[in-house]
């Protein structure tokens, strides 16, 4: 699937003397710098109907013309997968992702992903990078995600994520009792032994996680977490780093252990909780078209709600 793009702009006086790729980024802000540079090199973006290099300097009055095609980036298949759509308009959609759903196809998961379901709902997403998906949740993390439905929205949402103006808040249940909230500013890189994991590394990528206590139980804590950066497994790796891994986390949680003298119902609930207890509960960003601040909240799923109820009941039964 392809879409024809036709653009025309004149270099204004205040941009005279700048590089072509810099000017193109200012005049055509709906498209990424990489996309524009590709068009320059391929000849799809001309200056005064002639080919220029990205580093060439332009002057006032030069005419930039783009005649290009947006082509579907991958041959992913569309599948009729049920989706819990929280909001949708012509520019974007917000989906509540369930547990046990992979977001993006990869080796071993070419089908049955959120992306496959999105393509079935909106085939034109095939024209966008990663079918409009601008951020991810792990397979067993539940909650809110935003998906761009146009190139304009995709570029703007990626910019907001890069500028850290998108607010993403999570609820989590961790092992152990936290004494208070705090901020984890610890860079993350690949684990030196287990390549599926991330670990705090001095030369890793910047990773900042804020957390605060909602409720303390006998041996667990219910916390609210806010991301400042969005690294792979960031919340899971950071909380494990301070020895408070997420309940049910098969990768970072270590061996399953039960609180001493806990109730039978709590023990059964903890044993059966086979995913990380993490839910993306709140999402805030500015609408790419209107600029209006949008806020969505979604309640935690049933399994986390039941676990919290059992933890609360067990806490009340604690001997004096």
């Amino acid at each position: 699937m392809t879409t024809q793009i036709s653009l025309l702009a004149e270099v204004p006086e205040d941009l005279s003397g700048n590089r072509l790729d810099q000017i193109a980024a200012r005049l055509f802000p709906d498209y990424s710098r990489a996309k524009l540079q590709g068009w320059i090199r391929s000849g799809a973006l001309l200056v005064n109907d002639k080919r220029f290099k990205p580093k060439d300097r332009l002057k006032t009055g030069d005419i930039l013309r783009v005649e290009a095609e947006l082509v579907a980036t991958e041959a992913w298949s569309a599948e009729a997968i049920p989706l819990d759509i929280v909001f949708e308009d012509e520019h974007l959609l917000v989906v509540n992702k369930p547990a046990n759903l992979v977001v993006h196809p990869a080796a071993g998961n070419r089908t049955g992903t959120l992306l496959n379901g999105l393509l079935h709902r909106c085939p034109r997403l095939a024209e966008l990078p990663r079918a409009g998906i601008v951020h991810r949740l792990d397979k067993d993390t539940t909650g809110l995600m935003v998906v761009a439905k146009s190139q304009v929205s995709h570029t703007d949402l990626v910019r907001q994520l890069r500028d850290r103006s998108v607010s993403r808040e999570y609820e989590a249940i961790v092992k152990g009792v936290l004494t208070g909230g705090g901020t984890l500013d610890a860079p993350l890189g690949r684990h030196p032994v287990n390549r599926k994991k991330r670990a705090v590394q001095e030369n890793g990528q910047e990773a900042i996680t804020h957390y605060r206590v909602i409720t303390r139980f006998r041996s667990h804590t219910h916390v609210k977490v806010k991301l400042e950066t969005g690294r792979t497994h960031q919340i899971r790796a950071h909380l494990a780093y301070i020895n408070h891994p997420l309940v049910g986390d098969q990768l970072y949680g270590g061996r399953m252990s039960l609180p001493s003298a806990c109730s039978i119902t709590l023990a059964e609930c903890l044993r059966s909780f086979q995913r990380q207890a993490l839910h993306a509960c709140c999402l805030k960003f500015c609408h790419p078209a209107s600029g209006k601040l949008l806020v969505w909240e979604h309640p935690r799923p049933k399994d986390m709600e039941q676990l919290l109820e059992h933890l609360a009941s067990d806490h009340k039964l604690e001997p004096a």
Side-chain angles (χ1 to χ4, degrees):
M1 181 182 296
T2 61
T3 299
Q4 189 67 34
I5 302 295
S6 295
L7 306 170
L8 187 67
E10 181 177 338
V11 177
E13 186 176 352
D14 64 331
L15 294 181
S16 181
N18 288 318
R19 291 165 51 117
L20 168 56
D21 55 357
Q22 295 171 334
I23 292 174
R26 290 282 299 277
L27 297 180
F28 307 126
D30 294 339
Y31 301 92
S32 68
R33 180 72 66 88
K35 176 74 70 178
L36 292 166
Q37 288 177 335
W39 285 342
I40 294 168
R41 294 189 178 97
S42 69
L45 193 164
L46 301 176
V47 180
N48 302 326
D49 294 323
K50 297 179 181 179
R51 295 183 69 157
F52 278 59
K53 296 178 181 179
K55 65 180 180 180
D56 287 340
R57 307 283 174 172
L58 304 187
K59 63 182 184 299
T60 303
D62 284 339
I63 302 298
L64 277 64
R65 184 189 302 275
V66 177
E67 296 293 339
E69 289 184 341
L70 289 178
V71 183
T73 55
E74 294 272 0
W76 295 307
S77 59
E79 298 177 57
I81 297 172
L83 300 177
D84 181 7
I85 303 298
V86 177
F87 172 85
E88 184 173 15
D89 66 9
E90 63 191 287
H91 305 284
L92 58 89
L93 64 83
V94 176
V95 61
N96 176 45
K97 191 190 83 67
N100 197 36
L101 179 63
V102 175
V103 168
H104 190 276
N109 289 293
R110 298 300 300 176
T111 60
T113 71
L114 174 64
L115 183 146
N116 299 115
L118 289 169
L119 289 177
H120 182 269
R121 183 180 183 90
C122 185
R124 289 182 65 86
L125 291 177
E127 301 169 7
L128 301 178
R130 300 188 182 277
I133 295 172
V134 295
H135 66 116
R136 300 190 192 187
L137 294 177
D138 292 337
K139 175 183 176 182
D140 286 325
T141 298
T142 60
L144 298 169
M145 292 180 57
V146 61
V147 178
K149 291 179 65 178
S150 69
Q151 185 67 52
V152 173
S153 296
H154 186 274
T155 301
D156 186 76
L157 289 170
V158 168
R159 177 192 60 76
Q160 290 189 56
L161 284 162
R162 184 184 64 243
D163 295 344
R164 302 182 184 179
S165 58
V166 176
S167 176
R168 291 166 289 169
E169 295 185 356
Y170 297 72
E171 285 191 41
I173 305 170
V174 304
K175 296 180 180 180
V177 182
L178 284 160
T179 57
T183 294
L184 292 166
D185 185 350
L188 292 174
R190 283 196 179 275
H191 192 282
V193 177
N194 187 339
R195 306 299 287 175
K196 293 182 179 181
K197 297 175 67 174
R198 295 298 187 273
V200 172
Q201 306 238 351
E202 185 177 346
N203 61 347
Q205 293 178 303
E206 181 186 27
I208 302 173
T209 305
H210 308 282
Y211 64 95
R212 64 178 177 84
V213 173
I214 299 175
T215 308
R216 296 183 186 88
F217 303 106
R218 282 204 302 132
S219 301
H220 297 80
T221 310
H222 180 200
V223 297
K224 177 69 71 70
V225 182
K226 184 174 182 179
L227 288 178
E228 188 168 324
T229 54
R231 306 306 179 195
T232 300
H233 297 178
Q234 180 172 321
I235 294 173
R236 299 166 66 189
H238 265 173
L239 291 174
Y241 175 67
I242 60 170
N243 298 316
H244 289 283
L246 298 174
V247 169
D249 195 327
Q250 305 298 303
L251 190 58
Y252 294 91
R255 296 178 60 183
M256 201 278 290
S257 60
L258 299 175
S260 61
C262 72
S263 65
I264 295 175
T265 54
L266 176 57
E268 291 176 346
C269 186
L270 287 170
R271 289 193 183 100
S272 63
F273 209 100
Q274 296 297 306
R275 72 171 187 92
Q276 61 267 13
L278 185 62
H279 173 66
C281 60
C282 184
L283 185 63
K284 302 178 187 177
F285 58 88
C286 291
H287 193 282
S290 69
K292 179 181 178 181
L293 178 64
L294 303 176
V295 181
W296 285 276
E297 295 183 359
H298 204 280
R300 51 187 171 263
K302 185 177 180 179
D303 61 349
M304 283 183 66
E305 188 64 37
Q306 290 178 335
L307 177 55
L308 288 170
E309 290 173 358
H310 291 316
L311 287 169
S313 296
D314 181 77
H315 189 59
K316 293 176 182 177
L317 295 175
E318 182 182 9

